[in-house]
Amino acid sequence: MVGFGLIGAGRIGQLHADNIVANSRAHLVTVSDAFAEAAESLAAKTGAVVSSVEDMLARDDVQAVFVASSTDTHADFIEAGARAGKAVFCEKPVDMDADRIRSCLEVVEGCKQSLMIGFNRRFDPSFASLQRRLSEGEIGDVEIVTIQSRDPSPPPVSYIERSGGLFRDMMIHDLDMARFLLGEEPVSVYATGSALVDPAIGDAGDVDTALAVLKTASGKVCQISNSRRATYGYDQRIEVHGSKGMLRAGNVHETTVEVATSAGFKADPVQHFFLERYMAAYRDELNAFIDVVEQGAKPSPSGYDGLMAQALADAATESLKTGAPVSLV
């Protein structure tokens, strides 16, 4: 079994801890958090021990590190893990600054260690199947990718103020998915948006309703729509139109039961938020990382994927400010 150290005992750290404990190929050895009470609570629940990050990285029974701490600590912990000879998994983003990401990746490469970034949507069973069938040529050449991602409600404005903005915080997942599906790097980004859900989000300098259009050198296009409000639940849909047809992955409902009456058809609601919607993706993501540690598999999404998604998010943010497309070449 792979011995894991977990840095960060918040909501996402707890999710990863539960998945590690439930996985027969993994063992959660130790937990660290800036808040001792959070680390102690999670350790007691999972059977791990509490340690400092330094002690965690010095342990021979820890082969891999999960970084699920606050964003401003990610790059430093990645570098520390790589220098200690550990494989590292890090939640997105590596950092809010692309130059800092580049310097971090140089350290990882210099240490010859593996780094995987937590763009979990690549592992969603439906999205992964869609991408695989795309790569097999089922609908010919990709022409238009359409991604719709809408949260059930916005986060607190206090979170918005330190999030880096919608494009870096929310749409970055969709920007990674765009690269995953297009099969080519976008060369231009145009973005627009408004604060229609909560005026306080606009007062904080952000938007809650946004569109982005990406274009590749060969002319493939991707359109992404985001909203911080979907009254009907967590809206996650992808459609890819190609030269020979179309592939589509729809929302996941709480059950597949439908009722039909004289009033029409009615289905159960879609799943409420990301923890429910992407639970299987998080489990498959962990197994992919274990393959990296045990078998030397190539990390995917890689640190480079994290850098490119951040570059696209930065370009979308710039486009929103200027009202013009931003070239990436």
Side-chain angles (χ1 to χ4, degrees), residues 17-300:
D18 288 343
N19 285 338
I20 291 169
V21 170
N23 193 304
S24 62
R25 305 168 65 198
H27 171 53
L28 184 60
V29 178
T30 180
V31 176
S32 180
D33 193 276
F35 297 95
E37 185 176 341
E40 291 165 0
S41 175
L42 186 57
K45 174 184 174 184
T46 59
V49 299
V50 176
S51 71
S52 67
V53 173
E54 293 75 17
D55 289 345
M56 175 189 296
L57 297 180
R59 294 183 67 121
D60 292 335
D61 54 353
V62 171
Q63 291 86 46
V65 176
F66 254 73
V67 179
S69 51
S70 60
T71 294
D72 59 340
T73 65
H74 285 183
D76 289 342
F77 286 144
I78 289 171
E79 292 177 351
R83 289 182 173 123
K86 314 297 185 184
V88 181
F89 176 96
C90 184
E91 276 297 331
K92 68 85 187 171
V94 174
D95 194 82
M96 290 292 186
D97 181 83
D99 287 337
R100 179 68 182 96
I101 297 175
R102 291 185 183 95
S103 66
C104 178
L105 299 187
E106 288 176 0
V107 171
V108 173
E109 184 176 354
C111 294
K112 301 187 184 304
Q113 292 301 319
S114 297
L115 171 62
M116 184 168 159
I117 304 302
F119 287 117
N120 63 292
R121 295 182 190 182
R122 293 192 182 202
F123 298 93
D124 173 77
S126 295
F127 294 170
S129 175
L130 188 152
Q131 191 275 337
R132 183 172 58 253
R133 294 166 72 168
L134 262 186
S135 65
E136 292 170 351
E138 186 168 347
I139 62 167
D141 296 328
V142 173
E143 295 173 354
I144 304 172
V145 175
T146 302
I147 302 173
Q148 296 177 343
S149 180
R150 298 163 189 163
D151 288 353
S153 60
V157 173
S158 59
Y159 173 86
I160 295 287
E161 291 172 341
R162 55 185 174 83
S163 69
L166 180 144
F167 298 104
R168 296 186 180 101
D169 172 58
M170 179 180 177
M171 190 181 286
I172 193 168
H173 281 287
D174 306 307
L175 295 168
D176 177 71
M177 187 58 62
R179 294 182 62 247
F180 188 52
L181 299 176
L182 284 167
E184 298 178 15
E185 295 294 350
V187 297
S188 68
V189 178
Y190 170 74
T192 187
S194 303
L196 301 178
V197 177
D198 184 352
I201 293 177
D203 293 340
D206 197 12
V207 296
D208 52 38
T209 307
L211 297 173
V213 178
L214 288 63
K215 188 174 183 179
T216 71
S218 70
K220 297 177 184 179
V221 294
C222 174
Q223 50 190 345
I224 300 171
S225 74
N226 278 183
S227 174
R228 292 286 194 183
R229 174 177 59 198
T231 58
Y232 46 88
Y234 192 42
D235 192 356
Q236 300 284 288
R237 290 173 283 156
I238 291 176
E239 179 182 293
V240 183
H241 179 265
S243 58
K244 296 180 180 179
M246 183 262 290
L247 285 165
R248 180 169 59 203
N251 280 317
V252 177
H253 292 250
E254 290 179 356
T255 77
T256 61
V257 175
E258 285 186 317
V259 60
T261 68
S262 59
F265 282 79
K266 184 178 180 180
D268 281 346
V270 297
Q271 292 181 332
H272 176 65
F273 206 20
F274 73 95
L275 291 177
E276 301 90 350
R277 172 66 177 81
Y278 289 117
M279 186 56 68
Y282 283 113
R283 290 194 294 265
D284 289 347
E285 177 184 66
L286 172 60
N287 276 314
F289 183 56
I290 293 174
D291 288 343
V292 170
V293 181
E294 287 188 332
Q295 303 169 20
K298 183 179 179 180
S300 180

